[in-house]
Structures are given as structure tokens and as C-alpha cells.
Amino acid sequence: MEQKQFQAESQRLLDMMIHSIYTHKEIFLRELISNASDAIDKLYFQSLTDDGVQMNKSDFCITIAADRDARTLTLTDNGIGMTRKELEEHLGTIANSGSLQFKKENSLSEDNQIIGQFGVGFYSAFMVAKRVTVRSLAFGEAQGYVWQSEGVEGYTIDTCDKDTVGTEIILEMLDDIEADEDGNGGENYSEFLDQYRLQSLVKRYSDYIRFPIKMDMTKSRKKEDSDEYEEYIENVTLNSMVPLWHKNKNEISEDEYNEFYKDKCGDYTEPLCHMHVRNEGTITYDALLYIPSHAPFNYYSKDYEKGLQLYTNGVLIMDRCEDLLPDYFSFVKGLVDSEDLSLNISREMLQHDAQLRQIARSIERTIKNELKRMMKNNREKYEQFYQAFGLQLKYGIYQDYGMHKDLLQDLLLFPSSHEGKLTSLQEYIDRMPEGQDKIYYAAGESIARIELLPQTEQVKDKGYEILYFTENVDEFAIRMMQTYQEKAFQSVLDSKLDLETDEEKKTLEEKQEASKDLLEVMQKTLEGKVGSVKLSGRLKSHPVCLSSEGDLSMEMAKTLNAMPSSEGGQVQANTVLELNPNHEIYQKLMDLQASDAEQLAEYAKLLYDQALLIAGMPVEDPVAFSNRICKLM
Ligand code: ADP
Ligand code: MG
């Protein structure tokens, strides 16, 4: 028996390795299983050319056994095993990866998926074990060897009796540490001896290892013809082995896709659709993506966390890789599996963002195309999607100074005056009558409120369709877009709509000239409340309406002022009180302007409050408003 020391640097390195590379100590199981899988892969590779390997593919397996009394966890594989030299080189030297070497020396077939590359994963065992014993018989050797270590101090190697090829790793678990009074500092290692915990860890990290991972599980069942229960042992295969996304699409039923979603994505309802892609461009990856049928309860809050699962070679690397999804598609669930990724040493991150960005861009295109297809071929489904996530698309347009508009604008839908249905911008354009050169919209609290707005009458009379913006973000998003297919967006609540004929304009100008004094008095009375008072050519049944001029609409001002950050600094739209010269009220005002200035002032204020109410804005002084009405009555 020979005693060897780690070199001083190695000791420090090992200490770092054990305590700072990994965020979760539970990944030790993933690492040991991955090593076992690699060992089997290597022996399988050997069997392709070597008749000496007496194994069928179906004989290969990995076994886990937990002994709670002895506090040991044992992992066994019937892979290639390690010679004495290999034990020393691969387990005794940090960052020496026999697997990486193997990959370099052998041109591997598609069938081989060696996972190891860094030569550190093994040491993660010391995060949970006080002593690790490795018993191994290498293929083609007669003598087995045992390697044993308690971590930093070094290791021993000796001969041992082992008559089956492969490796057995025995972890003697650390003792649990009780938490202090405040509940801090506690460590639980016994959990890794619990069969259900082990089962769920295998499911989580190693579900797609291609060889069966087996464990004897103690279960209980009712005895026959009796009310008593008995315990029995069942040998359970813990992993599902074949990743659904590696199967052929036509071999997977809709049900299988849906079950997988419900199982993996934590949703109990069926998804709206799935996307199964195999990309073989500059970067090779598989992806299985889903769009949920409803928004999670916290979707539109800060608590929602977007991301896709990231696998490489069937091993889970990241549970939620945020960088794979842009915010506007944050509702998508699923996973990406790629062999082309360069991982960082802990396998918790990627080394090169460029690869990730490439995958993300390609995924983004996939999602967009799927949504476009759905919109075209299954409108009902698309509207269901839009109900749940349309708001997010609009935020996407508004975000980043509108740089995603080309990607997202074709996915938008708005309610409109056309048969009260949701319409896309393209459909709106397709319906535009000759002579219409703008896309008209009106913003308001609800469709019903918008339809009552006086300003919509004239536009509808001209035969123009109006998009209804009922969500706060709508107008902001559209202003970011500015145009769609070179057609400008135009709010019908803007005072400069300019839909009158030349003749109408001429008559209006004449009347405006005649009412100069009236308008001046009214404007003075309403100073600080409205920017200007004007005669309007577009009103039919209403005496007045309130419009705005310039970049900031009344609805936008309302939204901005309602934001917590706006406190103190309120913004104001530049408003215009429009007066209908064909309404009898107008004549009344003209009369008063000559006879009773005081009364005129009262009426001006009253009309202004009316205009506010119709526009869906709060009256500034409800009591004064009410008093004026009472006086009138
Ligand atoms: P990596 O897997 O990244 O190479 P590890 O630290 O996990 O690094 O393992 C180091 C090396 O030890 C492996 O490359 C492999 O050569 C060897 N090894 C580890 N576990 C086993 C095993 N169960 N059977 C055979 N060889 C193993
Ligand atoms: Mg490894």
C-alpha cells in the first residue's frame, strides 16, 4: 500500500473546488452519474471493435444504493473501469479528464455522448461525503484497485478484490449540522440517503442519461385479504432515458407532447401549442417549446421569471436560462438541448455568450413564425393566445426605443369599429377605402366609452375604420412605431384631424372670424385649463368636445400621471375645447356674449366640465359643477 500526498497547490485547489465551484451541493449526484455514463459509453465504444467485450447494449446500467444506517451512498456502473494508473491520473490529479482525452483520441460516432471534459466533477463528492472510496476493475485487467480519500489530505491506492468490470463509488456522508437558534448554518446530508430525494434528483438532472439508472426502493402495499400493509422492495428505473425531443416528430403523439409539458413546466392545463425544432446551422441544437394557454397568475409582475431549460448531452445545465428568451416572448416555456456549448467549469454557465445569442435569435424566429402561422390558420386559437399575452407583445414594441417593431408589429391585434372584432394592422390596411391615408385610432377606458366619443362620429361617417386602444400601453407603443406600411397612425382625439372638405373649411373659417370675441372670452375664462377654444367642423350631435394637440395625448398624460414615479411632476396634455357652431347652445353663447358676461363665464365652465366627462376625465371640482347644474335647474 502506497501513501501519496496532493501537492500543496493541489490541496488549495481541491479545497476551492469542493467549496466554491458549485452553487448546490446536490449536483454531486449529477456529476457521479455523468461519469458512470461516460465510463459505459467508453466500454460500449470498445465493444464495437473488440470481441472481448461480453456485453450487450442492454446489459449496461448504473445502480444507486443508499444505506441510511451505515450512512453510505453507493454508485455502481459496469463501464470501462479504471486501472491503477488511471485512478491516480484521473482521480488523483485535479483537472485531469480521462474523458476529454478519450474524446480526443477516438473519433466518436453520433451514438457516443461523452459528457466529461473538465476533470473536476468527481471532487464534488466531497461536498457531501467525508470519505470517498472508489473500487474499480478496468476492462482487460485481472486485478482490481481501491482508491480512497477524505478530501484535501490526499488519497491511498491499494489492490482489492473485484471480479466484475466497472466502478463502485462509496460515499460516507458527512454528519448533519444542526442550525443555530436563528435557523442559520444548518446542513442536511441525510437527505441524500432518502430514496425519494434521490429519485427526484435523478429525474431533475439526469433523466436523459441513456443508460438505465436503477435503485431498489422500499414501497408499501396492502396485503391480500387483509387491512394490513407490508413493505416490499421494487427495483425501479429512475430515468426516462430517451429525451422526447430526440424522437422523430411523427412518432410523438399530441398527448405525449402535452403530458411532457404538464410534467416539466409545472402547468396543469394543456399548452396552446408546441414547437419542436431541430436546428442544424452554424450551431446545432434541439428545442421543444410551448406556449401556455393562459398567463401564469404572476405573469405581469416582477415575480415572474422567464427562461428555458438548457441541456447538453442530455444533462441539465441550467434550469432557467434567461438569455434564451427575449422579454416579449417571456411566456414561452420549454427547453433547449445543444452539444455545441462550451460550458464553464461548474456547468452552471456558458463560456461564450455568442453561442447563446445565436440560439436565442434562432428561437425568436421560430416563435414568431409559429405565432404568425397560428394567426393565419387558427384565428380563434391566436385570439386566445393574444388575450393572455398580447399585452406583452405591446410592451415589446414600446421597449428599447421601438427596435423590435419589425419583429412584432404583424402580431398585434386591436378591437376596432369594424364589426367589433379584433383586427390586425394588415387587415386594417387591406380594408382601407380609397383616399384614406392614415390609420385612425381612439384611446379610452373601454370600447363602450370610446364608441361614445363625439370625435369618432365624423371619422365613421367618412367610412374610415377606427382602432380602439383600451390598454395604457397601446398609444405609447403605436407612437413608438409611428407608421405601419408607411401609413401614419392618427388619433381621432387630436384637434388637427383635418377631414373637412374645402367648402366646409371655408364656412368654418367665416364662422370662426364672426365668433372671435366669444372664443376669446371663453379662453380667458378657462385659462390654465385648456390650451385654446376653437370652433369645430366635425361635431354633429354634441355641443362640445375636448381634444389635444401635439405629442402628448390626454390618455397618455393620464397614464403617466398615474405612475408612482410621476409624483410631484404631473404632465399635462395641450388640450383644445372644440365648440359646435351648428348646435343651439352655440347661438345661446353668442347671445350671452352680447348681454351677460357673468352668465357666459358660468356656461363656459359648465361646458368644459361636460367635455371632460365625455372624454372620460375627472371633473376638477365636482362640487362647483353640481352647484352650477342646480342653479340652472
Ligand atoms: P470529467 O468527467 O469532466 O472528466 P471528473 O472529475 O468527473 O472529470 O472525472 C475525472 C476522470 O475520472 C474522468 O474523466 C474519467 O476518466 C475518470 N472517472 C471518473 N469516474 C469514473 C467512473 N465511474 N468510471 C471510469 N472512469 C471514471
Ligand atoms: Mg465528470
Side-chain angles (χ1 to χ4, degrees):
M1 181 164 150
E2 205 182 331
Q3 170 83 36
K4 300 231 172 173
Q5 296 279 297
F6 288 116
Q7 309 209 319
E9 294 83 352
S10 303
Q11 285 190 12
R12 279 190 41 213
L13 196 59
L14 184 60
D15 196 55
M16 273 162 51
M17 208 65 67
I18 298 169
H19 295 111
S20 39
I21 285 201
Y22 301 106
T23 340
H24 302 291
K25 53 184 189 297
E26 66 194 28
I27 60 87
F28 83 90
L29 192 63
R30 175 189 79 179
E31 293 300 321
L32 296 184
I33 289 175
S34 298
N35 286 351
S37 169
D38 284 351
I40 292 176
D41 251 337
K42 290 173 203 166
L43 187 55
Y44 175 67
F45 182 74
Q46 183 93 18
S47 77
L48 298 177
T49 53
D50 187 340
D51 293 338
V53 183
Q54 303 288 324
M55 297 280 280
N56 288 317
K57 204 174 180 186
S58 58
D59 298 331
F60 289 117
C61 92
I62 300 164
T63 310
I64 300 178
D67 182 335
R68 294 189 76 116
D69 299 324
R71 284 185 75 74
T72 57
L73 182 68
T74 306
L75 267 103
T76 314
D77 67 66
N78 49 8
I80 196 144
M82 280 174 278
T83 61
R84 183 194 176 107
K85 187 162 167 264
E86 283 165 343
L87 280 168
E88 209 161 303
E89 281 178 0
H90 302 325
L91 302 188
T93 323
I94 295 165
N96 183 316
S97 170
S99 294
L100 184 63
Q101 204 177 321
F102 181 84
K103 260 191 284 195
K104 282 182 183 154
E105 286 166 6
N106 301 287
S107 52
L108 298 179
S109 65
E110 265 257 320
D111 217 20
N112 259 283
Q113 291 186 357
I114 298 287
I115 301 159
Q117 70 182 104
F118 297 118
V120 299
F122 172 78
Y123 302 104
S124 64
F126 290 104
M127 291 194 294
V128 297
K130 53 182 162 197
R131 186 188 294 141
V132 178
T133 307
V134 180
R135 293 161 44 79
S136 198
L137 176 63
F139 171 74
E141 300 276 309
Q143 179 65 56
Y145 289 93
V146 54
W147 179 102
Q148 197 170 60
S149 170
E150 292 181 14
V152 193
E153 290 310 317
Y155 60 92
T156 61
I157 291 188
D158 203 351
T159 54
C160 74
D161 291 334
K162 192 172 189 312
D163 47 19
T164 53
V165 171
T167 303
E168 181 182 76
I169 298 179
I170 304 143
L171 309 183
E172 288 168 59
M173 298 311 240
L174 286 162
D175 298 322
D176 293 342
I177 302 169
E178 256 190 61
D180 63 15
E181 283 160 13
D182 302 328
N184 295 326
E187 291 287 1
N188 178 3
Y189 301 101
S190 303
E191 62 175 293
F192 301 120
L193 296 168
D194 177 87
Q195 57 175 5
Y196 294 109
R197 177 78 168 126
L198 291 166
Q199 182 180 35
S200 85
L201 285 176
V202 171
K203 266 263 161 231
R204 185 173 157 81
Y205 292 105
S206 312
D207 202 25
Y208 307 110
I209 291 292
R210 294 165 311 137
F211 307 101
I213 303 167
K214 295 183 180 177
M215 180 168 70
D216 278 342
M217 293 185 79
T218 311
K219 299 194 167 177
S220 101
R221 68 180 159 212
K222 223 170 114 193
K223 281 190 194 164
E224 253 177 73
D225 304 324
S226 151
D227 280 346
E228 280 174 45
Y229 282 81
E230 61 177 359
E231 288 195 337
Y232 69 102
I233 306 276
E234 189 183 318
N235 189 252
V236 181
T237 298
L238 304 174
N239 55 332
S240 45
M241 289 179 273
V242 184
L244 186 64
W245 60 93
H246 279 177
K247 288 196 201 166
N248 262 331
K249 279 189 214 181
N250 48 24
E251 285 166 18
I252 310 174
S253 70
E254 199 65 26
D255 262 3
E256 262 180 287
Y257 277 122
N258 291 352
E259 283 310 311
F260 184 86
Y261 168 77
K262 287 195 266 187
D263 194 32
K264 293 280 171 187
C265 301
D267 189 358
Y268 53 90
T269 47
E270 311 261 290
L272 208 57
C273 69
H274 70 261
M275 293 155 261
H276 184 175
V277 274
R278 157 130 267 223
N279 193 72
E280 284 176 339
T282 35
I283 193 153
T284 304
Y285 72 88
D286 294 296
L288 188 51
L289 310 172
Y290 293 91
I291 297 178
S293 57
H294 61 108
F297 72 95
N298 64 351
Y299 184 64
Y300 289 104
S301 81
K302 273 207 210 99
D303 296 339
Y304 180 80
E305 291 173 312
K306 66 167 182 172
L308 299 176
Q309 281 194 326
L310 185 62
Y311 287 86
T312 177
N313 285 322
V315 180
L316 180 67
I317 301 302
M318 254 187 271
D319 205 21
R320 213 181 37 248
C321 182
E322 292 178 23
D323 296 343
L324 284 172
L325 285 178
D327 279 346
Y328 40 86
F329 290 153
S330 62
F331 46 82
V332 173
K333 304 260 189 204
L335 59 91
V336 170
D337 185 355
S338 175
E339 288 158 37
D340 288 349
L341 302 172
S342 23
L343 304 169
N344 83 339
I345 201 162
S346 69
R347 299 177 174 274
E348 289 175 2
M349 280 179 283
L350 302 185
Q351 293 243 45
H352 300 296
D353 282 349
Q355 298 168 316
L356 209 59
R357 269 202 302 274
Q358 238 176 350
I359 299 182
R361 260 199 304 274
S362 156
I363 283 181
E364 180 180 272
R365 271 195 302 275
T366 302
I367 300 170
K368 184 192 168 173
N369 291 339
E370 175 69 20
L371 287 173
K372 273 187 92 167
R373 225 186 346 261
M374 196 197 292
M375 190 190 219
K376 193 162 159 247
N377 302 335
N378 193 340
R379 184 60 172 248
E380 205 178 317
K381 205 177 198 182
Y382 187 78
E383 289 191 10
Q384 191 190 341
F385 154 76
Y386 199 77
Q387 214 70 39
F389 302 112
L391 191 56
Q392 191 65 11
L393 300 182
K394 295 179 200 167
Y395 285 134
I397 294 225
Y398 179 63
Q399 237 178 19
D400 302 329
Y401 306 101
M403 66 179 280
H404 313 297
K405 79 170 199 178
D406 289 342
L407 183 91
L408 298 173
Q409 59 189 2
D410 291 322
L411 299 175
L412 297 180
L413 292 181
F414 293 102
S416 93
S417 57
H418 178 77
E419 298 174 358
K421 287 194 192 129
L422 286 173
T423 180
S424 70
L425 295 174
Q426 182 62 54
E427 289 159 353
Y428 181 100
I429 298 263
D430 291 345
R431 276 193 298 268
M432 272 168 59
E434 200 149 330
Q436 180 181 350
D437 59 354
K438 290 193 173 104
I439 301 174
Y440 292 101
Y441 70 85
E445 220 144 79
S446 64
I447 296 177
R449 285 295 279 267
I450 295 172
E451 284 185 327
L452 291 173
L453 288 172
Q455 290 96 325
T456 60
E457 281 180 329
Q458 182 196 31
V459 187
K460 284 189 216 163
D461 282 353
K462 294 258 173 206
Y464 300 161
E465 183 177 342
I466 304 173
L467 299 176
Y468 296 156
F469 289 178
T470 55
E471 258 150 351
N472 287 340
V473 66
D474 288 346
E475 205 172 0
F476 289 92
I478 242 65
R479 297 259 175 142
M480 210 49 105
M481 282 170 67
Q482 292 181 358
T483 58
Y484 178 78
Q485 292 191 10
E486 289 163 31
K487 301 268 187 295
F489 288 95
Q490 171 69 56
S491 168
V492 306
L493 303 184
D494 195 292
S495 68
K496 295 206 179 84
L497 206 53
D498 202 24
L499 283 178
E500 292 82 18
T501 60
D502 287 344
E503 204 175 318
E504 285 167 338
K505 275 186 197 151
K506 207 166 146 244
T507 348
L508 193 63
E509 261 165 42
E510 284 165 15
K511 284 195 182 158
Q512 181 97 14
E513 193 54 40
S515 345
K516 234 172 103 188
D517 295 342
L518 171 69
L519 298 176
E520 216 164 86
V521 174
M522 287 183 73
Q523 186 150 358
K524 230 185 177 133
T525 313
L526 297 174
E527 207 172 300
K529 298 184 198 300
V530 295
S532 60
V533 183
K534 283 202 249 197
L535 289 194
S536 165
R538 62 165 150 176
L539 291 172
K540 270 167 60 183
S541 48
H542 294 268
V544 285
C545 75
L546 207 52
S547 303
S548 61
E549 233 171 43
D551 289 337
L552 191 67
S553 76
M554 283 181 289
E555 280 297 317
M556 290 167 89
K558 200 160 113 187
T559 302
L560 290 174
N561 290 335
M563 304 223 272
S565 58
S566 75
E567 235 167 291
Q570 297 275 302
V571 294
Q572 224 177 346
N574 185 17
T575 50
V576 179
L577 184 68
E578 296 186 31
L579 208 57
N580 182 356
N582 303 318
H583 199 282
E584 44 189 334
I585 286 281
Y586 168 74
Q587 203 43 59
K588 179 78 187 174
L589 294 174
M590 285 294 267
D591 294 348
L592 284 179
Q593 133 76 17
S595 60
D596 190 342
E598 204 177 310
Q599 188 74 343
L600 176 63
E602 283 294 291
Y603 282 9
K605 288 176 193 162
L606 199 51
L607 283 170
Y608 170 64
D609 282 344
Q610 287 182 356
L612 278 175
L613 286 173
I614 294 170
M617 300 286 157
V619 169
E620 284 155 35
D621 185 347
V623 176
F625 173 67
S626 166
N627 287 343
R628 273 182 206 114
I629 297 225
C630 285
K631 218 163 119 193
L632 254 180
M633 289 165 84

